[in-house]
Amino acid sequence: MSLHEQLRGVYEDGRRRIPAELAEIMDRNGRELAASGLAERALGVGAPAPRFTLPAATGRQVALDELLADGPVVLTFYRGAWCPFCNLALRALQEHHDTITARGARLVAVSPQIPDESLTLAEKEQLAFDVLSDLGSEVAARFGIAFDLSDELGGLYDQWGFDLERVNAGHSRTLPLPATFVIDRTGVIRWTFVAADYAVRAEPADILAALDALG
C-alpha cells in the first residue's frame, strides 16, 4: 500500500469520527489555505536552500552546511507529533531510511515543536534520523511554507487537546505546510514536494527517484 493510500485511510477514518460542522470548519480553512497560493510560492527547484542551524531532539545543534558536507540532504517539514498524518509519513520515511542513506544522502525532519516533544516522537517511532526543532517556524518561513492557523481552526485544535501553545513554545498558530526538499551537496534545491493539504505527503519512492536523478 502506498503512503498516499495509508494517509487517505487515516483521513476517511477521522472524518467518520467528527461532527459534520467541525469537518466543515476544517474544509473551509483548507480551501482558504490552498487559495492563498502559499504552496505555489514556496522555494522551488534551482533555488539555493536557506542555511540554518537547529537543535536536534537530543539538544545537539545541527547545521545544514555540515549535513551537505557529507552529501545530498532530504529535508522534510511536518506539523508535529500531535498530527497522525505526520507520524505516518515519518514512519514511512524511517522504513526507507536505509535506501536513502545508501544513496549517500542524509534524511532530516523539522517541526515547530520544542526538543522534548521531538525526542518523545523520535523515541516512540524509533527514528534513525535527526528530528530538529524550528521554534516559531522561522526556517520554514525562509523556505516559504510557514502559515498561521486561523483563530477558528486554532480554537478547534485547542478543543481537541493538541496543546500547541506548549509544544510550540508559545507559537501555537504558526505551522509549516507539509513539504520535502531534496538538496544537492552544493546547497541547491533539486526536487520539491509542497502541499496545502495536511493529509498529503511526499511518496518515499518519489524521493528516491529524485536522489537517483542527482547522478
Side-chain angles (χ1 to χ4, degrees):
M1 184 182 296
S2 69
L3 176 58
H4 173 76
E5 291 169 329
Q6 296 176 61
L7 291 166
R8 191 67 193 175
V10 172
Y11 175 84
E12 292 175 351
D13 181 62
R15 282 309 172 98
R16 287 191 290 267
R17 297 170 182 267
I18 63 175
E21 61 271 20
L22 299 187
E24 172 53 29
I25 291 175
M26 298 179 70
D27 289 343
R28 183 172 64 256
N29 279 268
R31 290 191 298 268
E32 291 172 355
L33 181 57
S36 74
L38 180 63
E40 291 75 22
R41 294 193 302 273
L43 289 185
V45 172
R51 299 306 198 261
F52 61 80
T53 300
L54 293 172
T58 57
R60 177 174 58 89
Q61 296 293 313
V62 176
L64 178 59
D65 279 334
E66 293 176 4
L67 299 173
L68 291 172
D70 295 330
V73 170
V74 176
L75 180 66
T76 190
F77 290 84
Y78 69 101
R79 302 194 301 171
W82 53 270
C83 169
F85 303 95
C86 300
N87 294 333
L88 186 56
L90 290 177
R91 284 198 295 272
L93 288 173
Q94 174 60 38
E95 291 171 1
H96 290 81
H97 183 250
D98 288 348
T99 53
I100 289 172
T101 58
R103 287 162 168 80
R106 290 283 297 274
L107 173 61
V108 180
V110 177
S111 88
Q113 297 180 133
I114 58 177
D116 280 353
E117 290 295 318
S118 296
L119 181 61
T120 299
L121 171 69
E123 290 175 335
K124 184 176 74 171
E125 303 296 346
Q126 297 182 319
L127 303 179
F129 50 88
D130 282 322
V131 180
L132 310 182
S133 293
D134 177 25
L135 298 183
S137 292
E138 294 180 1
V139 172
R142 293 166 62 196
F143 277 82
I145 59 170
F147 71 99
D148 289 334
L149 293 171
S150 69
D151 290 341
E152 180 183 46
L153 188 55
L156 187 58
Y157 285 0
D158 289 342
Q159 290 180 36
W160 287 341
F162 293 158
D163 199 9
L164 299 187
E165 182 73 19
R166 181 184 64 82
V167 301
N168 290 353
H171 302 280
S172 61
R173 294 292 189 262
T174 306
L175 297 175
L177 294 178
T180 300
F181 299 86
V182 172
I183 306 168
D184 72 18
R185 64 186 311 153
T186 71
V188 175
I189 298 171
R190 295 301 182 189
W191 182 86
T192 70
F193 174 92
V194 182
D197 186 344
Y198 63 85
V200 180
R201 306 298 161 108
E203 284 288 344
D206 292 337
I207 295 171
L208 293 175
L211 289 172
D212 289 339
L214 294 179

